[in-house]
Amino acid sequence: MLQKPLHHECLWAEHPQTPGQYLWVPASGLPARPGSAAAQGCPALPAQTVAAQSLPGVPVPSFPLALRAQPGGVASPSAEPAHLAMACVAHYFLSTYSPCVSLWGNSFVAAVPRNSQLQEDQDLPELLKRVEKFPRASPHWLWGSKVLFTVYDPDYMKVILGRSDPKPLDTYRFLAPWIGYGLLLLNGQTWFQHRRMLTPAFHYDILKPYVGLMADSVRVMLDKWEELISQDSHLEIFGHVSLMTLDTIMKCAFSHQGSVQTDRNSQSYMQAVEDLKNLFFFRIRNIFYHNDTIYRLTSDGRWNHRASQLAHQHTERVINLRKAHLQKEGELEKVRKKRHLDFLDILLFSKMENGSSLSDEDLRAEVDTFMFEGHDTTASGISWILYALAMHPEHQQRCREEIQGLLGDGASISWDHLDQMPYTTMCIKEALRLYPPVPAIGRELTKPITFPDGRSLPKGIMIALSFYALHHNPEVWPNPEVFDPSRFAPGSTQHSHAFLPFSGGSRNCIGKQFAMKELKVAVALTLLRFELSPDPSRVPVPIPRIVLMSKNGIHLHLRKLL
């Protein structure tokens, strides 16, 4: 059995004179420990022998740490001195200090203080550098013998998303104190039961009347913008858009009356969500914070607990208000006779009619999950779409002319209108390609997997499916950084898994139709009211925080149209 040396001071590298033979070599610049395999010398071994004898979970030579690009596009062994030295030093550092990784940002750095800006701005740029070198996928050491395999090739995506592998609870569980075990965190049969129960809430007969509610919420936001730009044409839009999408999901899915855009309780919920996303990100990056006991004793852990409580107070208030409304005389029967129920009513009726199938904890978990996911992902999408249109005034104007021809002054907008704006839809999709609301998701392989090119991975490997990298992969999208709506012109063809703003497979976004309708309503009404242009002094810096955020906000100049 091959022995794994202390501190991982060695690694397998292809023999420079004998392709296919591998040597256990010392890391460049690091002394071999006396008595180690490297110090004593080690015979060259064929790849299959290394594979058969490697420790469980340790990558075999098809995906080692010293890497180079091959025609197949997957990282594979390299014995180039400079490349090997860099990989070895990184390997030594990672193995010695047991750092963690950011699943969402695909950045792999040692535990750093929460206020450190190390790597934060570079997460996505560094990811795209790897995509250029390795166009299909690339591995990364996490800690000990654990490896994360980041995938951004449509063929690989299709195979993984076509399976039923669970999400890796090693990291996703950190969200549980906040959103509980709803659709996002559930796996297996329980997930299937909840998905089947909630799918009717997104039937098109339910979604149709939501368009008017969406428009009302957007108009409240735009009226507020008119007041604000009378003093300063510059505006940071992400916060406003987030409140608007929270208002929308509250009215549509939770039957809330009134506007939350002026509600102080909603402001505190929004701040709690912002805090929880950041705390989740920093916890994933710090290996010591993975221990629940240690984390609870830290200031971040206590902060996470307080923010979760604030979020729960908001959702419990929503549940209790709806329960009280249904207890009014005649209301219960009136709702029961509806052909399709809203999201919260489905949960409440399921609880009333079969209490054993849905606990109070289950109900709140689904409400917490949809309260967050139903507003934050769409807020990200809308904000980045408006930024993309501000950066490309010629496309913005063409969208505006299409919308004016369809809606006039926008006093009325209906479900049918939303399918009659092809160019605006093309621009929305192109912006979602450049700025996918959810940059990545995770899976943990429950059995070995073989990809179409013949490469395979063993059971137990953690996978990060990077939609951001997929959408910026030049092998998939030529000139990926260019905003080109014609990619989505009618009749254009792409790989079925080249464009995944709402994921794919059986666990795709349950609310994707709802989200697309909301994006169209928001973009249409905004372009009818304002001309958008970027603020060159404050260029947004995309960062992954469960959803795609901007480190410095999304700042635009708005000009009211007559």
Side-chain angles (χ1 to χ4, degrees), residues 359-382:
S359 67
D360 290 334
E361 187 178 4
D362 291 337
L363 191 153
R364 196 186 75 181
E366 294 296 1
V367 173
D368 281 323
T369 297
F370 275 82
M371 188 73 70
F372 162 59
E373 290 216 314
H375 91 272
D376 211 41
T377 52
T378 49
S380 173
I382 291 168

Side-chain angles (χ1 to χ4, degrees), residues 167 172 175 179 182-186 366 369 372-373 507:
K167 297 183 177 180
Y172 276 83
L175 292 169
I179 61 173
L183 273 188
L184 180 63
L185 300 190
L186 285 174
E366 294 296 1
T369 297
F372 162 59
E373 290 216 314
R507 293 201 67 147

Side-chain angles (χ1 to χ4, degrees), residues 230-250:
S230 64
Q231 303 166 5
D232 183 1
S233 67
H234 154 269
L235 196 66
E236 197 290 309
I237 66 168
F238 199 99
H240 295 282
V241 174
S242 294
L243 265 179
M244 181 273 291
T245 56
L246 178 63
D247 192 22
T248 298
I249 196 71
M250 291 274 285

Side-chain angles (χ1 to χ4, degrees), residues 2-12 24-26 33 35-38 55 91 95:
L2 300 176
Q3 295 301 308
K4 187 175 173 186
L6 184 66
H7 294 323
H8 297 251
E9 65 185 31
C10 307
L11 53 77
W12 288 105
W24 194 237
V25 299
R33 181 169 50 84
S36 68
L55 294 175
H91 189 42
S95 304

Side-chain angles (χ1 to χ4, degrees), residues 76-376:
S76 61
S78 169
E80 297 171 356
H83 204 118
L84 181 61
M86 184 180 300
C88 292
V89 171
H91 189 42
Y92 180 89
F93 181 80
L94 292 176
S95 304
T96 304
Y97 295 102
S98 297
C100 187
V101 304
S102 162
L103 173 63
W104 304 98
N106 303 302
S107 62
F108 309 93
V109 297
V112 294
R114 181 171 52 79
N115 61 353
S116 170
Q117 296 189 8
L118 176 64
Q119 292 284 328
E120 184 178 74
D121 296 354
Q122 296 304 310
D123 284 347
L124 297 177
E126 288 298 323
L127 172 63
L128 297 188
K129 288 180 183 177
R130 293 209 308 276
V131 174
E132 289 183 8
K133 291 182 179 180
F134 317 123
R136 289 181 181 271
S138 58
H140 280 270
W141 289 96
L142 304 186
W143 58 91
S145 62
K146 278 189 173 289
V147 172
L148 179 72
F149 197 71
T150 305
V151 170
Y152 32 78
D153 171 79
D155 288 326
Y156 281 32
M157 290 274 187
K158 185 175 182 179
V159 173
I160 296 167
L161 291 172
R163 298 178 16 139
S164 56
D165 298 294
K167 297 183 177 180
L169 288 182
D170 278 359
T171 48
Y172 276 83
R173 70 180 179 84
F174 300 150
L175 292 169
W178 166 22
I179 61 173
Y181 286 91
L183 273 188
L184 180 63
L185 300 190
L186 285 174
N187 288 304
Q189 188 62 25
T190 308
W191 170 84
F192 177 77
Q193 291 169 353
H194 283 222
R195 174 86 179 207
R196 185 174 57 184
M197 173 181 65
L198 293 170
T199 294
F202 299 94
H203 189 279
Y204 73 93
D205 283 343
I206 283 285
L207 299 182
K208 278 184 177 180
Y210 287 172
V211 172
L213 297 174
M214 292 172 181
D216 290 343
S217 294
V218 173
R219 291 188 185 105
V220 170
M221 178 186 74
L222 299 180
D223 290 343
K224 190 174 9 172
W225 286 5
E226 277 196 36
E227 294 178 15
L228 292 171
I229 67 168
S230 64
Q231 303 166 5
D232 183 1
S233 67
H234 154 269
L235 196 66
E236 197 290 309
I237 66 168
F238 199 99
H240 295 282
V241 174
S242 294
L243 265 179
M244 181 273 291
T245 56
L246 178 63
D247 192 22
T248 298
I249 196 71
M250 291 274 285
K251 289 175 179 175
C252 295
F254 302 110
S255 304
H256 182 77
Q257 304 297 315
S259 174
V260 304
Q261 295 188 63
T262 55
D263 182 357
R264 185 171 297 177
N265 288 325
S266 299
Q267 298 280 358
S268 64
Y269 172 75
M270 296 295 298
Q271 185 58 55
V273 168
E274 187 74 13
D275 293 344
L276 287 163
K277 288 188 298 185
N278 285 322
L279 289 164
F280 172 73
F281 179 80
F282 293 123
R283 186 177 185 186
I284 280 187
R285 286 190 162 215
N286 190 327
I287 186 63
F288 303 109
Y289 282 7
H290 285 211
N291 181 285
D292 291 340
T293 302
I294 292 174
Y295 189 63
R296 280 194 293 267
L297 296 173
T298 66
S299 59
D300 274 17
R302 293 190 294 271
W303 187 2
N304 188 79
H305 178 70
R306 289 194 301 270
S308 296
Q309 285 183 318
L310 281 172
H312 295 161
Q313 288 170 13
H314 175 80
T315 51
E316 285 170 356
R317 189 160 46 243
V318 170
I319 294 169
N320 291 334
L321 281 172
R322 188 57 180 166
K323 282 182 177 178
H325 179 79
L326 292 176
Q327 288 169 1
K328 291 180 181 178
E329 186 176 354
E331 285 297 326
L332 194 60
E333 285 307 312
K334 190 189 301 183
V335 173
R336 197 187 300 273
K337 290 176 182 176
K338 290 170 65 176
R339 184 179 174 189
H340 297 287
L341 297 177
D342 292 342
F343 176 85
L344 181 54
D345 288 343
I346 285 177
L347 291 169
L348 292 174
F349 273 77
S350 176
K351 172 70 177 168
M352 285 185 280
E353 292 171 1
N354 186 6
S356 62
S357 69
L358 194 71
S359 67
D360 290 334
E361 187 178 4
D362 291 337
L363 191 153
R364 196 186 75 181
E366 294 296 1
V367 173
D368 281 323
T369 297
F370 275 82
M371 188 73 70
F372 162 59
E373 290 216 314
H375 91 272
D376 211 41

Side-chain angles (χ1 to χ4, degrees), residues 43 326 358 380 472 486 541 561:
L326 292 176
L358 194 71
S380 173
H472 290 255
S486 67
V541 179
L561 297 173

